[in-house]
Amino acid sequence: MATREHAGSMDAREYSVSSSRLGDAFSVRAFFHKELPFAVPLQRIDSGVVFGGQRVTAFGMAYMDHHLTDRMQILYYKDDHEFVLRLVPEAANEELLLARGLAPAPDLNGLLRQLNALIAKGRQEAAKPAAQWKFGWTQYDFLAIPDIAFNITAHYTGLEGQRFFAGAGPFRVSEAWQRTAFVLNERGAIVESEATVTTAVDSVAAPGMQPHPKRFVFDKPFVVVLRHNEKRPPYFVLHVQHPELMKPFK
């Protein structure tokens, strides 16, 4: 559900809102579709990764490729268990953030606050000569991201049946649902969302680390964020916690 914190996250041309009326009933539909292809496809990870006890397919960077690292930035690195990466797709004004190691939070806004705090901390650390090795890619570093693909429809039964007054008289929400689809692989990301609300007339009223190879393996819960740039709110946030959203390794 949109909040004021997410106002301005999308341009008007990126989504559509339409309404229709049949007799005393009316329906409102919102639709959003966005494709973020990578300028250079990332590499397939032949062995995949194990996430939640299940081996799933993955992509990333198994060997050094400057065409890839030119469009990948390490925003924060504490260790191989806590880090934030920025992937720049073909459209340079867009960005895809990946964060692993965030503490549990009651909602996505709590995760976003942690993410932004780590990015700010990373900026401070990057200015220190002794820590600069954390923010550059080397031939020994490794990146593995699980493939994600899902298309989920949810009915908001808590809204269905709710009554409200508008214009001619009392109305009742007869149907409220949302479909969200997301794909993330070596070629880029695609996100699509559709929501419909239909109403009817109501008949009843630590110490410094030494430089070492870095392993950016997303084999534990992580967060995916899509946004235009760091000065605008994200238009898509996903907290990946279970392998059900991934592709089994065969």
Side-chain angles (χ1 to χ4, degrees):
M1 181 176 293
T3 66
R4 290 185 178 181
E5 295 183 50
H6 301 100
S9 62
M10 292 185 290
D11 295 330
R13 65 180 182 275
E14 295 176 330
Y15 64 91
S16 63
V17 179
S18 60
S19 62
S20 59
R21 182 163 185 166
L22 180 61
D24 292 326
F26 64 88
S27 178
V28 178
R29 175 181 180 267
F31 180 77
F32 166 66
H33 179 90
K34 185 85 171 181
E35 296 187 17
L36 298 177
F38 295 136
V40 179
L42 276 70
Q43 302 161 7
R44 297 301 303 172
I45 304 301
D46 293 339
S47 59
V49 299
V50 176
F51 191 102
Q54 179 177 336
R55 188 168 294 278
V56 297
T57 61
F59 66 99
M61 188 176 70
Y63 55 88
M64 186 67 169
D65 185 337
H66 291 289
H67 294 97
L68 297 180
T69 58
D70 286 346
R71 303 186 73 88
M72 300 192 305
Q73 184 180 3
I74 304 169
L75 299 180
Y76 175 75
Y77 179 82
K78 177 183 178 182
D79 52 34
D80 289 354
H81 306 288
E82 185 176 331
F83 47 81
V84 180
L85 302 181
R86 175 176 180 257
L87 277 59
V88 180
E90 195 171 59
N93 64 323
E94 305 279 354
E95 61 182 15
L96 189 156
L97 303 179
L98 296 163
R100 180 190 153 164
L102 301 183
D107 53 31
L108 292 177
N109 285 327
L111 293 173
L112 287 174
R113 285 191 287 270
Q114 288 186 62
L115 172 64
N116 290 328
L118 291 182
I119 292 175
K121 185 176 181 180
R123 288 198 188 99
Q124 295 178 343
E125 290 188 357
K128 302 176 182 178
Q132 289 182 1
W133 66 272
K134 296 182 179 182
F135 301 91
W137 295 95
T138 75
Q139 61 180 324
Y140 304 107
D141 295 336
F142 178 78
L143 169 64
I145 306 166
D147 292 306
I148 299 176
F150 64 83
N151 190 342
I152 299 174
T153 299
H155 273 269
Y156 293 96
T157 55
L159 290 177
E160 294 175 347
Q162 294 289 323
R163 297 179 175 87
F164 65 95
F165 286 84
F171 288 88
R172 173 176 49 84
V173 177
S174 59
E175 184 180 46
W177 61 271
Q178 181 177 22
R179 180 181 64 84
T180 302
F182 182 66
V183 173
L184 177 63
N185 56 36
E186 76 276 11
R187 292 182 293 275
I190 301 174
V191 59
E192 185 172 283
S193 182
E194 179 182 12
T196 299
V197 175
T198 302
T199 69
V201 173
D202 191 4
S203 58
V204 182
M209 296 173 62
Q210 296 299 315
H212 60 78
K214 302 179 289 294
R215 290 182 58 83
F216 301 98
V217 181
F218 291 87
D219 56 358
K220 298 291 183 182
F222 63 96
V223 174
V224 181
V225 176
L226 304 183
R227 64 185 184 184
H228 286 291
N229 54 56
E230 63 179 328
K231 295 182 180 180
R232 296 180 63 177
Y235 52 81
F236 180 80
V237 181
L238 175 67
H239 189 196
V240 182
Q241 304 179 75
H242 306 288
E244 285 80 2
L245 304 180
M246 304 171 188
K247 295 183 177 181
F249 186 87
K250 297 180 180 179

